[in-house]
Amino acid sequence: MRTHVRYPIALATSFLWIGFIGAISFMEAWLKFQAPGITVPLGLGIGRLVFSALNKVEWVLALIILGNFVVGKAHFSSPRTILYALPLTLLVLQTVWLLPALNVRVELLLQGQEPENSYLHLYYEGMEICKVVCLSLLGTKLFKR
């Protein structure tokens, strides 16, 4: 039996997006502080640079998926739309609110100040987990079609 995938680019891109999140958010973010000679300020500076780049890559991947849906004339009232819209919404929140707020905290730490306790990092990780779950389900749905 031969399987036909209607949105192959969106399928591949959803799993590529998961890979970027896993490699950066779930590995690089904490591993860099384990490296010999990495100070907290240096690690924070690297993290700010890497997460800014990740954010840009995520936007490219999100737009590629959207483009494949538009070109493929996807029905935007299907369950796959929700599985795409949720990570996209979280990406918007991260871009306009969460990353700038985390950058303010990094800047305070780099200036030797101690920012107030916050849950911003937990929010970010929670959003990353939610994106991975949605993108996994999206990829699975796209493969089954």
Side-chain angles (χ1 to χ4, degrees), residues 127-138:
M127 288 180 184
E128 295 295 79
I129 291 167
C130 186
K131 285 192 291 188
V132 166
V133 168
C134 287
L135 290 166
S136 297
L137 293 171
L138 174 62

Side-chain angles (χ1 to χ4, degrees), residues 7-104:
Y7 304 102
I9 295 170
L11 171 64
T13 305
S14 64
F15 287 111
L16 183 61
W17 191 349
I18 292 167
F20 270 98
I21 291 171
I24 301 300
S25 295
F26 302 145
M27 270 182 53
E28 183 279 340
W30 61 274
L31 271 178
K32 72 176 161 276
F33 289 104
Q34 308 300 316
I38 295 293
T39 62
V40 171
L42 186 56
L44 292 173
I46 292 168
R48 185 167 44 180
L49 179 67
V50 169
F51 278 93
S52 174
L54 173 62
N55 184 258
K56 290 172 179 70
V57 168
E58 285 188 274
W59 274 108
V60 169
L61 298 173
L63 293 173
I64 289 171
I65 293 171
L66 178 63
N68 191 210
F69 285 166
V70 169
V71 169
K73 297 181 172 75
H75 296 283
F76 286 97
S77 60
S78 71
R80 93 177 136 253
T81 304
I82 294 167
L83 294 173
Y84 169 72
L86 187 54
L88 183 63
T89 302
L90 294 174
L91 183 58
V92 168
L93 285 172
Q94 287 175 327
T95 302
V96 300
W97 167 64
L98 201 47
L99 285 173
L102 287 168
N103 283 336
V104 167

